[in-house]
Amino acid sequence: MIKQDWMNKGYIDEPIPQGLDLAAEITRLKKEKGALLMAHYYQKGEIQDLADVIGDSLALAQKAVGVKNDIILLAGVHFMGETVKILNPDKKVLIPDFNAGCSLADSCQPDDFAKFIKEHPGHKVVSYVNTSAEIKAMTDVVVTSTNALKIVESFPKDQKLIFGPDRNLGSYINSKTGRDMLLWDGACHVHEQFSLEKIIELKRQFPEAELIAHPECKHQVIVLADFVGSTAALLNHIGKSAAKRFIVATESGILHQMQKSYPDKDLIPAPPVDSTCGCNNCNFMKLNTLEKLYLTLKYEWPEVNVDPEVARKARRPIDEMLRLSKNLDK
Ligand code: 13P
Ligand code: SF4
């Protein structure tokens, strides 16, 4: 029975018995209920370590196709849960906290985006996966940071394009492809707050270190970077590069996986403008905790539901992305 108080809060707020081994309980409940735990790289390390599937936005969407489990628990943010639900309409898709939103997805509201599209007839619409199902339903093709460049390049050169909602990723793609896509003016509050001055200072201190950056970062950081790529591409790059030290300009959760995969590399998180805020941690991603994961599996709530008509329309551009992403070089 889901209490009204929990519904108001958006997550289950029940005291956890003292001494309960949460990791063991989550593993037990997953097995008992036949649930699959999927986690994004920006989750806390202890959640990543328990996940059956871990990845960036593209990998999570790809691995959500053809899941056999009846229950999928998505440890990430709301739009990721929606994408999993759209790809698995008959499954129960759970997220640990309804409040785990995304500042970037929120910067693009359906009525405003519909108006923008209407004002620019003749344009195809390319939307970043960090959008609500309603925005995806207005889209021709969805992209993630891993595949955005290649998918944009798959359109004829003279095809007019709208790109939303991330202006930094959009202008990075424009600069790489020579296109002039119309950009929605949205951004991620985590990737936008890295301090150029502090990064330059670090580069001076460690001249041999490579700066690696996510394309959601500001233009000034991207132009300074030795390598630009999605979360998975940054992880792979560390393995391939001969460099021993890296300044990492993206959400700090990925450092867990980077350090685990490449223990001999030295990783320095790029510093935010305000060094006291810890704001290279996404506050939405970090709402998920082992306690909430345990309670979500126990009560099978919060459950993500998408209006079936919206889901049907949003599925097509997601499928198109998956089709175009096959055999993509990371
Ligand atoms: P990727 O997982 O595609 O790198 O996107 C980063 C992000 O901000 C996810 O919310
Ligand atoms: Fe959204 Fe940025 Fe958090 Fe990713 S890191 S979920 S883009 S707010």
Side-chain angles (χ1 to χ4, degrees):
M1 164 78 169
I2 308 303
K3 294 184 190 165
Q4 187 59 47
D5 171 46
W6 298 347
M7 287 191 212
N8 295 342
K9 284 183 169 160
Y11 63 92
I12 301 168
D13 188 16
E14 182 181 84
I16 304 280
Q18 243 197 349
L20 192 75
D21 182 343
L22 284 167
E25 282 302 299
I26 290 168
T27 307
R28 180 185 66 76
L29 282 171
K30 274 199 302 160
K31 200 166 166 207
E32 192 179 294
K33 302 196 174 208
L36 182 77
L37 174 56
M38 306 184 84
H40 189 271
Y41 283 137
Y42 296 172
Q43 291 297 287
K44 293 173 202 268
E46 64 214 33
I47 295 179
Q48 296 187 37
D49 290 345
L50 278 180
D52 303 300
V53 173
I54 177 157
D56 68 353
S57 306
L58 177 63
L60 292 179
Q62 286 171 323
K63 289 175 186 168
V65 178
V67 169
K68 297 279 184 293
N69 310 59
D70 292 327
I71 297 178
I72 304 170
L73 171 55
L74 186 284
V77 292
H78 191 264
F79 76 81
M80 296 176 179
E82 280 190 339
T83 304
V84 171
K85 180 68 183 177
I86 291 165
L87 291 166
N88 294 278
D90 302 329
K91 310 275 182 193
K92 191 179 257 188
V93 177
L94 306 171
I95 53 171
D97 189 334
F98 270 140
N99 302 300
C102 167
S103 57
L104 178 54
D106 286 349
S107 73
C108 191
Q109 293 300 316
D111 286 350
D112 303 332
F113 199 57
K115 189 164 167 265
F116 188 63
I117 294 172
K118 210 168 163 201
E119 283 165 1
H120 300 98
H123 287 68
K124 295 269 187 206
V125 180
V126 181
S127 292
Y128 198 27
V129 71
N130 299 39
T131 45
S132 65
E134 286 85 355
I135 297 293
K136 291 186 177 79
M138 301 175 203
T139 292
D140 291 293
V141 61
V142 169
V143 298
T144 75
S145 51
T146 299
N147 57 27
L149 251 177
K150 291 212 168 160
I151 291 182
V152 166
E153 276 176 334
S154 74
F155 284 98
K157 271 268 174 238
D158 58 350
Q159 173 62 57
K160 291 194 247 170
L161 299 174
I162 284 173
F163 185 91
D166 192 88
R167 60 171 176 254
N168 295 319
L169 176 62
S171 69
Y172 172 69
I173 297 170
N174 273 346
S175 73
K176 285 296 215 187
T177 59
R179 291 191 186 243
D180 189 19
M181 300 189 297
L182 278 180
L183 306 183
W184 184 260
D185 192 16
C188 158
H189 72 297
V190 179
H191 286 91
E192 277 226 311
Q193 50 70 46
F194 294 113
S195 158
L196 185 66
E197 289 72 25
K198 289 181 188 169
I199 290 174
I200 292 171
E201 184 46 43
L202 273 175
K203 289 270 271 182
R204 246 186 237 125
Q205 209 180 330
F206 303 106
E208 81 294 358
E210 276 192 11
L211 171 64
I212 59 173
H214 195 283
E216 286 175 26
C217 292
K218 277 187 178 158
H219 175 72
Q220 302 92 297
V221 172
I222 288 185
V223 290
L224 199 68
D226 300 290
F227 180 79
V228 178
S230 66
T231 312
L234 298 181
L235 175 63
N236 293 342
H237 177 76
I238 291 184
K240 286 184 197 151
S241 167
K244 286 269 173 273
R245 185 173 276 146
F246 299 85
I247 303 164
V248 184
T250 190
E251 209 273 355
S252 61
I254 186 61
L255 272 89
H256 176 73
Q257 218 47 239
M258 289 171 168
Q259 207 66 83
K260 224 172 137 176
S261 306
Y262 307 109
D264 56 326
K265 305 265 179 166
D266 186 10
L267 307 173
I268 309 169
V273 176
D274 173 0
S275 38
T276 61
C277 69
C279 35
N280 52 353
N281 264 307
C282 173
N283 50 320
F284 297 113
M285 288 277 183
K286 299 309 194 276
L287 282 176
N288 298 331
T289 58
L290 285 186
E291 284 80 2
K292 286 182 189 162
L293 261 71
Y294 162 70
L295 293 169
T296 298
L297 279 173
K298 182 173 168 189
Y299 289 97
E300 300 181 20
W301 189 88
E303 182 179 357
V304 178
N305 280 305
V306 181
D307 173 83
E309 186 52 18
V310 173
R312 192 186 59 75
K313 289 189 185 149
R315 170 101 197 214
R316 200 191 36 76
I318 297 174
D319 280 344
E320 182 62 355
M321 168 184 82
L322 294 173
R323 188 184 70 76
L324 291 167
S325 302
K326 285 208 176 108
N327 306 322
L328 194 87
D329 228 356
K330 287 220 173 114

